[in-house]
Each structure stands twice: as C-alpha cells, then as structure tokens.
C-alpha cells in the first residue's frame, strides 16, 4: 500500500503510545465486578437480617443554605492537608445507608488513635487486612470476614504498622513502619498464606507507599535519600534505582525530577525523554502523571508535557503561589496546593485544573486540614472552622467546600459526643485523626463522620445529612475504598469487631 | 468444570496478549488519548473476562472488546462535557499556550473520532470491511463509503498542503 495517507494511518496506529497492560490487574477488576454483582443480589436477600443488627435511619437535616465561596472569607490559623497518596477513598455508599456485609470479632485492638498511627485497615484488590496492636497482620476473607491467615510482623519496640500494600505479580508488597515511625521495611508476602517471600530490611523513614509500575515491578520513593527504587514484586530483587528529588508514577511510566531536569522513564528504567525545567526556588518540583500528561510544578508555574513523547502541551500560573503538592483528580485533571506539610498557622490555597490546563477554580486561603477527592468529577475539601462567639465561647465545626462548583456548606452540626470527648476534639488531635482516617473519611457521595457508635454520611450534592446508622459499639477506625467501608468498632472488655459495609 | 475454567483462563490470557495492545493503539488514535484508550480497553477486557464463557464464542471477541472500550471512552467524554463548572472566582491570568496545527498528522487527528477509528481499524489493523462493520455495528456499505470519503478528503488536503 503505497498511498501516503493510508501509510500515515498505519504509522499512527503502529507508533501510538500504549501504556503497558497488566493482566493481573484486569483479572482483579473482573473479580471485583463479579463480586459486586453477586453482592448486589445477596443484599436483597440479606436486607432483613442485616437491618436486625444495624439500625438504619434517614435523617433530614435543616436545609443548610448554599453560599458562594466568598473571597477573603475569614480564616483562622489552622491547616492540614492529608498525607500524599491517601486522597482518594471512594466507597460509594447507597443513599439509604450502607448495609453490613459481615462482622467478625478480632483479637487485640485496631485503630486506637491514642497510639497514633499504630493501626491499619486495608482493602487490597478487595481483600481486607487489619494490623492490630499485637503486631500481627491479619488477612480476612472478603465475603465473610473469616481469618484467612495471620502473620506476626516484627516489632522493634513500640509497634509496627503497615503503611500501605499493593498486589503485584501475585505478591502482596507491603511497606511497614517499624519502631514508631523510626524506620520502614519493604517486604513481599504470599497473599494466600501470608508467608514472607522476601524482606528487604529496614531503611530510614520517608518511604512512600508502594506503587505498581507494570512489568511486575513495584516502586517506592525514599524521600530522605532522594531516590526511587524499583523491585521485582515476586522476588524483592532491586530492579533499578534512580536519583530523584520528586517522582510521580503511572502504569508504565515514571516521572522523576533531578538536577533541573524532568525525565520520563519506562518500567525498565530507560529514559523515554527528558527536558529541562525552570528552577523551583526554595521549593520542590511536585510531579504527577495523569490523563496522558505529566505535569510538573516549578515555583508558581505548572507545566504539562505529553507523557508519550514529551511534547509541551501547556503552561499556566494557577495563581496560588509556589506549588508544594499536586495530586491526580480522576475524571478531571490535577489538584494543587501551596502547602506541603501543614503546620498550624499556614493558610493553604487549593486549585483545580482540567487536563487541558484550564483552571476550574481556586480558593482563597482557607483553613484546610484535609483535602479529599472523589471520582465523580468533583473535588471536596473538608475545612475546619473555629469561631469565637461574643460570649467568649469557642465554636468549632466542619464545613465542606466543593472546589468544582464553588459551593460551601454551612457548618455541619457538631457531634454530641465523639470517641475523643465532647464536640469536636481539639485541633491537633483532630489532625491526627483525620490523617489516619479514623473518625472522618470520604466516599463518592459525601463525608462520613464517626461519632461514638453513630456513622453519618453528609451528602455533598444535597448538602444535608443523608443518613445515619447506629453500630453496636464505638467506631474507632474506618477505611473507605472503592470496595466498601471497613469499620472497626470496640466494646471495652470485650474486644474489637471488624465489619465491612457496602 | 475446573478444567474448563483453567482452559478458559489460559485462552483469555492468550487473547489478552494478542489483542490488548493493538486495540489500545487503534483506540488511542481514535480518541486522541493513550491513557484513556488504555483505561477503556482494560475496562473492556475486564468485562470480557467477567463473561468470557460467552464472549469467547462470539464471532469476533476483539470486535466486541473494541466496541465496549469505545463506548466506555465515549461515555467518559460525554460525562466530562456535561460537567457543570462554576469558578469560585474570576481568573485573570491563566495562560494556555496552544500548539501550532501544522501538517497532515494534525489533519488526521482533527478528523471526527469515528472517522479516525474507521481508518485505524481498516488500515492500521488491516481489518476487512466486514469485520469493521460488525465491530462498529454499521452496514458494510456505510463503512466503505465513509472510509472512501475520508480518504479522499485527506488526499485533497494533502494536495493543498503541497
């Protein structure tokens, strides 16, 4: 076929960039679809039984007025975005309230905020895991909650908790805090038995959650050593490593920033392309791969290239000052903020950009302590507000700010009682709780707030309390993902119960 | 029964290896976004695996996956267009540098999505007209005439560029 037009078509198709595929991930997605379908059918049958143990009550709150985000709205000195990589809990609860799929009593306690991050509830590929304070990682059956296996994880002294985990090449790769955050280990477990397949020992803290990058590899970033390490998930052998002050990952492509250059690497570590980027001043170069683009921040500017061939696509100044953090927003584009690690007194600004570079919205300095994202095309921010009333009393409340629509709720009604004392806990405690997803988390529809044994969903769209459910015991931990909401409840002297709500 | 499942899994694995990347490529050319194309094909592959016992018996499983992936990608675009946006405040200095629109490649990329998909399947993957028609659920005559019309338009524009 010598026709140049058809040759061009053939060339376009044959040279089109293809992000590497992962058959294991496709199989996991198919399993999830089967499980969801099965659960959907089961729910109807189980509803009567479930309602016997979980009282569901729809609560219609007084309609809070929707107000436009007022520029320069009063800001109190408080801020705390959540940790990078934990921004996308997307448990899609039905409007009538979740139903309990299973519940099981476990030994020890989990999610005890008094001990800081010494707790974990994880759902990996639909399989629940919990890490209790007896220093054991426990794997549960997703359909019934039964213990599948339990694996002691060494404790240097005061506990050890799983930071995060992914399943790659039939291996559960976990990063594990040790010795109260003073070191981190990366290890591979057999997801069926819990057997340790490999353990790469401990390193200094600063390891990020493991990320699958294709070709059976998993990458972790050591932010202190400023290096990205990739491991063969099956064997734990180091595949390759590269110096990087900042890094972002996607299936089949790794973006790193080093020595004033942005480089896109293939899964095998070879450089696909590289380009110089402007200096970031005192700051870093947050970088994110999303929607076929790699976006890198340089000071106050954001620059996007085609991740396939490096073609510059757009640059923009989002107008929030030096960009300190960036995260992908599913279905939308990029979220950015000028605050890295939040400290009291900072007043972060947040902006949302579409993948074509259009800035959808940005905030004035706000009292953010937790930035949240859902997959339904919107970005929500939970703000903490503190008012001093004319009486001298201090009123604390939560409000939701929808970046996409610019709407903001009136403060949510304060809880009557929480596991942490009356009303909302003091700010530092709440920060810690929010950081570890303990008493408030987000799903696709709204903000889930645990208040003693009561769980409530505050709806984002209707801006009202959508439902509340009463669980048997005090809620001490929640983990929301696309598979469901894993809830830990504790009754003193009896034990901790782990439940999956869908 | 278990043996059947093992065989089906192996069969799907072969199917995935054979078809996944080429479907990603042609859909990437059609939708203009490699990442979106890959996500769409992976989603369609998961759906195919979910009901592989049926899909494997279809006349053209790859055509079915392509159709599901395209519908998924199209739905994503539609959802995006419907998305209401209301900026918090008027922006005064957002700058988006447009890239120049230059040659035939850009002309090809400017074609409607369906035209790019037709050309991609017909000449990128060398699918016969009948297979393209079945996959896209359109009459063979429509495929022929539309491909011919698009090709002629591209050739005319190529002449004009000279």
């Amino acid at each position: 076929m010598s026709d140049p037009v058809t040759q061009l078509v053939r060339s376009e198709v044959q040279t089109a960039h293809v992000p590497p595929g992962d058959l294991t991930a496709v199989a996991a997605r198919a399993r999830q679809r089967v499980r969801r379908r099965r659960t959907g059918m089961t729910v109807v049958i189980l509803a009567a039984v479930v309602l016997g143990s979980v009282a569901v009550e729809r609560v219609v709150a007084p309609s809070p007025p929707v107000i436009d985000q007022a520029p320069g709205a009063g800001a109190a000195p408080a801020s705390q975005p959540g940790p990078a990589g934990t921004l996308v809990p997307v448990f899609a609860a039905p409007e009538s309230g979740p139903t309990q799929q299973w519940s099981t009593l476990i030994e020890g306690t989990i999610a005890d905020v008094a001990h800081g991050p010494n707790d974990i509830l994880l759902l990996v590929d639909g399989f629940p895991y919990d890490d209790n304070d007896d220093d054991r990682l426990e794997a549960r059956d997703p359909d019934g909650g039964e213990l599948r296996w339990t694996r002691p994880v060494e404790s240097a002294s005061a506990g050890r908790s799983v930071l995060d985990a992914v399943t790659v090449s039939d291996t559960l790769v976990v990063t594990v805090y040790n010795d109260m955050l003073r070191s981190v280990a990366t290890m591979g477990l057999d997801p069926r038995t819990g057997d340790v397949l490999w353990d790469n020992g401990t390193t200094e803290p600063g390891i990020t959650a493991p990320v699958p990058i294709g070709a059976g590899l998993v990458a972790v970033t050591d932010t202190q050593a400023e290096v990205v390490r990739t491991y063969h998930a099956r064997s734990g052998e180091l595949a390759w490593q590269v110096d990087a002050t900042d890094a972002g990952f996607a299936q089949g492509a790794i973006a790193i920033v080093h020595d004033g250059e942005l480089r896109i690497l293939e899964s095998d570590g070879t450089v696909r392309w590289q380009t110089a980027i402007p200096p970031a001043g005192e700051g870093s170069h947050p970088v994110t791969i999303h929607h076929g683009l790699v976006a890198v921040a340089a000071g106050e500017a954001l620059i996007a290239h085609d991740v396939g061939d490096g073609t510059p696509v757009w640059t923009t100044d989002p107008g929030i000052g030096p960009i300190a953090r960036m995260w992908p927003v599913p279905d939308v584009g990029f979220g950015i903020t000028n605050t890295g690690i939040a400290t009291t007194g900072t007043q972060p600004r947040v902006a949302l950009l579409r993948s074509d570079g259009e800035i959808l919205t940005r905030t004035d300095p706000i009292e953010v302590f937790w930035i949240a994202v859902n997959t339904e095309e919107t970005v929500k921010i939970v703000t903490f507000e503190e008012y001093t009333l004319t009486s001298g009393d201090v009123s604390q409340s939560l409000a939701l700010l929808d970046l996409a629509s610019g709407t903001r709720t009136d403060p949510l009604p304060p809880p009557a009682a929480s596991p942490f004392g009356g009303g909302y806990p003091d700010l530092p405690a709440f920060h810690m709780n929010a950081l570890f997803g303990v008493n408030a988390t987000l799903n696709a529809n709204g903000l889930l707030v645990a208040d003693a044994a009561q769980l409530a969903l505050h709806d984002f769209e209707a801006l009202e309390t959508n439902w509340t459910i009463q669980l048997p015991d005090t809620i001490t931990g929640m983990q929301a993902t696309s598979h469901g909401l894993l809830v830990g409840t504790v009754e003193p002297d009896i034990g901790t119960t782990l439940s999956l709500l869908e | 029964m278990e043996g059947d499942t093992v065989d089906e899994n192996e069969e799907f694995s072969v199917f995935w290896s054979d078809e996944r990347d080429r479907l990603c490529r042609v859909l990437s050319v059609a939708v203009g976004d490699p990442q979106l194309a890959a996500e769409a094909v992976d989603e369609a592959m998961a759906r195919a695996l979910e009901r592989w016992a049926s899909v494997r018996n279809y006349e053209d499983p790859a055509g079915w996956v392509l159709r599901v992936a395209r519908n998924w990608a199209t739905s994503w675009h539609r959802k995006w267009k419907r998305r209401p946006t209301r900026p918090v405040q008027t922006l005064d200095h957002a700058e988006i540098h447009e890239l120049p629109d230059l040659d035939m490649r850009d002309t090809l990329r400017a074609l409607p999505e369906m035209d790019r998909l037709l050309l991609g399947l017909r000449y990128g993957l060398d699918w016969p007209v009948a297979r393209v028609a079945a996959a896209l659920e359109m009459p063979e005559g429509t495929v022929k005439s539309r491909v011919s019309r698009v090709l002629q338009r591209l050739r005319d524009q190529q002449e004009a560029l000279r």
Side-chain angles (χ1 to χ4, degrees):
Chain A
M1 185 78 62
S2 58
D3 182 345
V5 172
T6 53
Q7 276 182 349
L8 173 65
V9 172
R10 177 168 287 117
S11 163
E12 282 286 284
V13 171
Q14 289 176 349
T15 61
H17 171 63
V18 178
D22 184 343
L23 182 56
T24 309
V26 168
R29 199 187 291 196
R31 280 198 304 274
Q32 287 165 17
R33 292 182 60 83
V34 170
R35 192 174 300 127
R36 279 187 175 284
R37 203 172 45 182
R38 200 169 52 207
T39 301
M41 290 186 288
T42 308
V43 160
V44 177
I45 300 166
L46 291 180
V49 179
V50 168
L51 288 174
S53 58
V54 182
V56 179
E57 174 195 0
R58 184 175 173 86
V59 175
V60 179
S63 308
V66 178
I67 62 172
D68 286 344
Q69 164 75 358
S79 66
Q80 181 87 11
T86 62
L87 296 169
V88 198
V90 289
F91 156 60
E95 282 192 0
S96 59
T99 51
Q100 182 176 298
Q101 299 304 303
W102 50 258
S103 181
T104 184
L105 191 69
I106 67 172
E107 294 179 18
T109 59
I110 54 170
D112 181 352
V113 292
H115 294 94
N118 192 20
D119 61 87
I120 195 73
L121 297 169
L122 280 176
L123 281 174
V124 183
D125 281 348
F127 287 91
Y129 297 87
D130 62 80
D131 181 11
N132 66 30
D133 66 359
D134 291 337
D135 302 317
R136 289 200 318 274
L137 180 64
E138 298 180 330
R140 305 260 158 200
D141 182 87
D143 294 323
E146 295 88 4
L147 188 65
R148 292 195 298 125
W149 51 259
T150 177
R151 162 65 48 194
V153 280
E154 291 176 22
S155 172
S157 61
R160 173 164 168 159
S161 297
V162 174
L163 166 63
D164 212 339
V166 293
T167 307
V168 178
S169 295
D170 208 19
T171 304
L172 183 71
V173 180
V174 295
T175 45
V176 184
Y177 279 127
N178 199 356
D179 197 12
M180 286 306 286
L181 305 182
R182 282 193 281 274
S183 62
V184 174
T186 307
M187 55 203 300
L189 306 177
D190 185 326
R192 283 177 294 272
T193 63
D195 292 342
V196 177
L197 301 175
W198 51 268
D199 185 343
N200 282 351
T202 59
T203 62
E204 294 294 309
I207 299 290
T208 60
V211 182
I213 57 171
L217 300 179
V218 63
V220 296
T221 305
D222 185 333
T223 56
Q224 293 208 347
E226 297 189 340
V227 63
V228 170
R229 299 191 186 93
T230 67
Y231 300 100
H232 293 282
R234 195 64 192 155
S235 65
E237 289 174 21
L238 184 70
W240 52 269
Q241 66 178 40
V242 63
D243 291 337
T245 51
D246 295 277
F249 304 92
Q251 193 63 238
I254 300 106
I256 63 156
V257 175
H258 188 65
D259 280 346
E261 289 209 316
L262 168 67
R263 297 188 187 115
I264 296 295
L265 311 178
E266 307 285 356
S267 296
D268 62 4
T270 56
V271 177
R272 184 185 300 170
W273 56 264
Q274 63 186 53
T275 186
I277 53 173
E282 298 290 313
S284 60
H285 286 96
V287 60
T288 298
I289 301 175
H290 193 44
H291 282 177
L293 297 175
V294 54
V296 61
E300 300 185 6
L302 197 60
I303 304 160
H305 294 261
D306 184 311
V307 75
D309 58 14
T311 306
V313 182
W314 48 261
T315 64
T316 186
D317 178 353
I320 63 167
I323 299 164
R325 286 183 52 220
M326 175 165 39
W327 63 96
V329 181
D331 289 352
V332 179
F334 302 93
I336 53 172
T337 177
N338 61 338
T339 304
I341 302 299
T343 55
T344 300
T346 58
Q347 295 189 344
R349 306 184 71 182
V350 183
L352 176 65
L353 294 90
R354 247 174 35 182
S355 294
D356 61 5
E358 181 185 344
I359 301 168
L360 288 174
T361 186
R362 70 177 167 227
T363 69
D364 286 307
I366 52 175
E367 309 145 71
V368 175
F369 70 85
W370 196 20
I371 299 168
V373 182
N374 71 31
T375 59
E376 296 300 316
E377 309 169 355
T378 50
V379 176
K380 313 295 183 186
I381 299 176
V382 183
T383 69
F384 180 89
E385 299 181 343
E386 189 173 81
Y387 301 99
T388 302
L389 307 177
T390 52
S391 64
D393 291 340
V394 174
S395 170
Q396 298 175 327
S397 61
L398 296 176
L400 301 173
L401 171 63
D402 182 348
L403 268 180
S405 68
T407 56
R408 174 180 160 281
T409 65
D410 258 2
L412 297 171
S418 78
F420 322 104
Y424 285 107
D426 63 17
L427 197 54
F430 204 96
H431 283 179
M432 174 160 277
N433 300 339
L435 271 172
F436 299 106
V438 169
N439 65 349
T441 190
L442 286 113
N443 70 15
N445 299 326
L447 173 69
L448 283 155
V449 178
D451 177 9
Q454 180 176 286
L455 183 66
L457 176 71
H458 301 283
D459 186 79
F460 282 135
E461 308 307 329
L463 302 177
E464 64 183 19
T465 302
N466 203 331
W467 48 256
T468 62
I469 59 172
Q470 194 74 25
L471 294 171
D473 302 303
T474 300
I475 300 164
T476 58
M478 294 191 294
Q479 178 74 28
T481 78
S482 56
H483 311 295
L485 183 70
L486 205 56
V487 178
T489 57
V490 64
E491 186 173 357
D493 302 326
I494 293 184
T496 300
T497 300
L498 191 66
S499 307
L500 182 71
L501 308 182
E502 284 190 347
Chain B
M1 185 70 84
E2 193 172 320
D4 289 348
T5 305
V6 171
D7 288 346
E8 285 182 8
N9 286 344
E10 285 178 0
E11 188 183 75
F12 179 81
S13 177
V14 171
F15 171 75
W16 185 87
S17 300
D18 287 347
E19 302 293 349
R20 190 258 179 193
D21 282 5
R22 72 177 78 171
L23 292 177
C24 281
R25 284 195 183 90
V26 75
L27 196 61
S28 172
V29 169
V31 302
D33 183 337
Q35 207 74 39
L36 175 62
E39 287 174 17
V41 171
D42 286 344
E43 174 66 24
M45 282 287 186
R47 294 180 191 198
L49 177 57
E50 181 189 357
R51 48 179 74 85
W52 184 242
S54 302
V55 174
R56 66 198 289 257
N57 294 318
Y58 292 168
E59 193 170 334
D60 185 4
W64 184 88
V65 169
L66 176 83
R67 190 161 64 245
V68 172
R70 178 178 177 256
N71 289 342
W72 190 91
T74 306
S75 159
W76 188 92
H77 272 301
R78 283 197 188 121
K79 198 165 66 165
W80 170 249
K81 283 178 185 169
R82 279 204 311 270
R83 181 176 183 281
T85 59
R86 182 155 59 93
V88 167
Q89 56 184 246
T90 304
L91 302 170
D92 48 9
H93 58 289
E95 291 180 24
I96 301 169
H97 301 310
E98 296 289 340
L99 296 175
D101 190 16
L102 288 176
D103 55 10
M104 274 301 292
R105 185 164 277 118
D106 292 315
T107 307
L108 176 65
R109 289 174 182 174
L111 289 173
E113 182 261 351
M114 177 54 89
D115 289 348
R116 276 178 285 159
L117 186 58
L118 282 168
L119 292 184
L121 290 172
R122 185 73 187 87
Y123 299 109
L125 298 188
D126 287 327
W127 282 16
V129 168
R131 190 179 182 191
V132 175
L136 300 180
E137 293 181 315
M138 62 171 63
E140 287 187 32
T142 305
V143 172
K144 280 183 191 167
S145 61
R146 193 157 172 174
V147 165
S148 170
R149 201 164 54 238
V150 176
L151 279 180
Q152 190 56 50
R153 195 188 320 156
L154 286 172
R155 287 171 186 140
D156 291 346
Q157 291 184 5
Q158 190 183 36
E159 282 298 313
L161 285 172
R162 282 177 180 165

